[in-house]
Each structure stands twice: as structure tokens, then as C-alpha cells.
Amino acid sequence: LLLGILTLHATNSFAAPRRDSVNARKYVQCMEMAREDPDAAFDWAMDWRDMGGEEAAQHCIGVALIGLKLYNEAGNRLEALAQEMQSDKKVQAGILAQAAQARHLEGKPTRAIALMNTALKISPANPDLLVDRATMHAERGDYMTALADLNIVLAKDPTRIDALVFRATALRFTDKLEQAETAIVSALALDEYNPEGLLERGIIRRLKGDKNGARRDWLKVLSIAPKSPAADAAQANLEKMDLNSESLHKNQKEGH
């Protein structure tokens, strides 16, 4: 069954590169555009850069390129920008994390983790970066290392729902189903309508043989967040479970 939804946080983790009040407004506008219409944001930021937008414009260009799925170019630009920002360590860490995101999406996990390690040296124990690095480790199949990062996050903030849900997913993939169930119960006690939490609980219930409980959770995801990635995963799980049930029923019928 499908892995739970894993989300990178680096895009919004840190302040932007240095800018005056006019460029600050442009930066906010550009970053909002990069999320909603990255193609338009790229053109707008390129023009802004040519008119003196400097680091803030370069930053928006890099984020827009991620939105355009031009991950190699985004990584190259963001890594170069991070080198230029060495005097502002907080901003540098954030940009390195975004470069790591680009490399991760490009399919270069070793480079992505190396960049995230560097970002975490600059901003130690940053919870968003730790969750992001855990995501990268998990997608390489290294769930134990992912759990180590998540445990650090949850030791400081045991109410962080995304880390609890992710921890449940990682525990499930290390065959620790009871611990995974405990983690997901804790997450949903904090927010009973969390789509990713309901998705994960449904997966755990299915693995424990509670098909009706799994179905209820996945249908709830479709009801409360119908256009989310969690809903797509819930729908896929429902279809797979129904297909397996139909196959089993057919085999049993033919056997008789």
C-alpha cells in the first residue's frame, strides 16, 4: 500500500535575501506568483533581476524553476546564490535547503542530503529541515535514519503533527506496526481531521486486517480534502483494496 504523504518545508522556512522596502513588496509578490504561476513568476523575476532585483530576484527565479520542474537549473541557481549569501547565515541555510529540495526532486538524493546536512550545520536542529531530511532518507529506504531525525523534532515538540504522522509511516516500513499505530493515534488526537493522518491510519488498519476501519478513514480523507495528494493516495488504496477483495472472492468462488 502507498507510502504516506511526505512534504518538504524548505521553501518557506527562512527569511528572504536582503532587500529594501520596495523590493520586499516585490519579493512577496514574486514568491506568491512562483507558487501559483511559476512560468509567469520566472519571467517577472528575470525582468526584476535585470532592473536591480539582485539576490531577492535570483531567489524567486530559483523557486519558480522548482515549480516549473526544471530541477537541475533550479539547483544550480540556488546553490550559486547560497554561496553568495555566506555573510547572512540564516538566509544561506534556507537557500541551501531549497537547493536540496531541487536536487531531491531531480533524483540526486546523495547531493540533496549533503546540501541539507550543510544547511543543518548552519541552522542546527531546525525542525523543518530535519523533517525534510527525514523525507529524503525515507525515500532512499533508510527509515531508521529518518526516524532518528524525527525523534529529535518530536523530543522538542511532541505536538508536531506532520512529524508524528511521518514517524508512523517510517515505523510501519520498519515492521513496527504497533508503534506506528501509537504514533498515529497521538497525531489524530491533536487533529482528528488531519488528511495525512487519516490516510496513514487507514493503511495501518488495513495491514491489521480492519478493512472497514481503513475504508472509513480513506473515505473521510476524500470528504474533507478531495483535491489533496492525501485524497489521491486514499482513492488508490481504496481501489487496490477493492480489487484485491474481488480477486479473493472470485478465487474462492472458483475453488468451490
Side-chain angles (χ1 to χ4, degrees):
L1 294 177
L2 294 175
L3 179 64
I5 303 302
L6 308 179
T7 304
L8 291 168
H9 303 82
T11 301
N12 298 311
S13 294
F14 289 85
R18 295 182 299 272
R19 59 200 188 277
D20 57 31
S21 60
V22 173
N23 277 334
R25 291 192 295 272
K26 288 184 177 181
Y27 177 81
V28 171
Q29 180 182 353
C30 191
M31 293 299 280
E32 288 177 353
M33 194 186 306
R35 287 188 288 270
E36 297 171 4
D37 187 349
D39 193 31
F42 177 80
D43 291 339
W44 196 89
M46 291 290 285
D47 290 341
W48 178 29
R49 182 203 62 181
D50 293 342
M51 292 187 294
E54 299 180 341
E55 293 100 338
Q58 294 280 18
H59 188 204
C60 189
I61 290 168
V63 174
L65 286 165
I66 293 176
L68 291 169
K69 300 183 179 180
L70 298 172
Y71 303 127
N72 178 262
E73 181 65 17
N76 290 341
R77 286 178 178 266
L78 290 167
E79 285 191 48
L81 180 58
Q83 287 297 316
E84 296 174 13
M85 300 301 300
Q86 290 187 45
S87 60
D88 191 331
K89 294 300 184 183
K90 183 177 181 181
V91 173
Q92 185 188 29
I95 294 172
L96 281 169
Q98 291 172 323
Q101 180 185 28
R103 298 305 186 193
H104 172 79
L105 293 169
E106 186 186 359
K108 293 184 176 178
T110 301
R111 181 61 182 162
I113 290 173
L115 288 166
M116 195 64 77
N117 290 345
T118 302
L120 278 160
K121 287 179 182 178
I122 297 169
S123 181
N126 179 286
D128 288 336
L129 300 189
L130 284 167
V131 172
D132 289 347
R133 188 172 69 178
T135 300
M136 296 175 185
H137 284 304
E139 292 197 1
R140 298 180 70 185
D142 188 356
Y143 297 104
M144 296 306 296
T145 304
L147 283 167
D149 279 343
L150 295 170
N151 288 340
I152 294 171
V153 174
L154 290 168
K156 292 189 173 184
D157 182 6
T159 66
R160 181 159 174 152
I161 296 174
D162 62 339
L164 282 168
V165 173
F166 189 2
R167 185 170 184 271
T169 302
L171 286 166
R172 169 166 59 86
F173 272 86
T174 55
D175 297 322
K176 296 177 181 177
L177 208 55
E178 297 302 323
Q179 291 182 46
E181 185 175 33
T182 298
I184 206 63
V185 166
S186 297
L188 290 171
L190 295 166
D191 178 6
E192 63 179 311
Y193 298 109
N194 181 272
E196 291 78 21
L198 289 166
L199 170 65
E200 181 59 34
R201 187 173 68 180
I203 295 172
I204 292 169
R205 283 177 165 175
R206 169 66 180 87
L207 292 173
K208 296 189 76 173
D210 182 6
K211 293 182 181 180
N212 290 333
R215 185 179 300 278
R216 286 195 300 272
D217 281 339
W218 294 335
L219 288 174
K220 187 179 288 188
V221 173
L222 294 174
S223 174
I224 64 179
K227 296 183 179 180
S228 67
D232 293 340
Q235 183 64 47
N237 277 288
L238 282 166
E239 291 172 0
K240 183 171 183 177
M241 185 169 68
D242 289 343
L243 180 62
N244 289 342
S245 296
E246 289 175 8
S247 297
L248 178 62
H249 179 72
K250 181 179 179 181
N251 291 338
Q252 289 175 337
K253 185 176 181 180
E254 290 176 351
H256 288 307

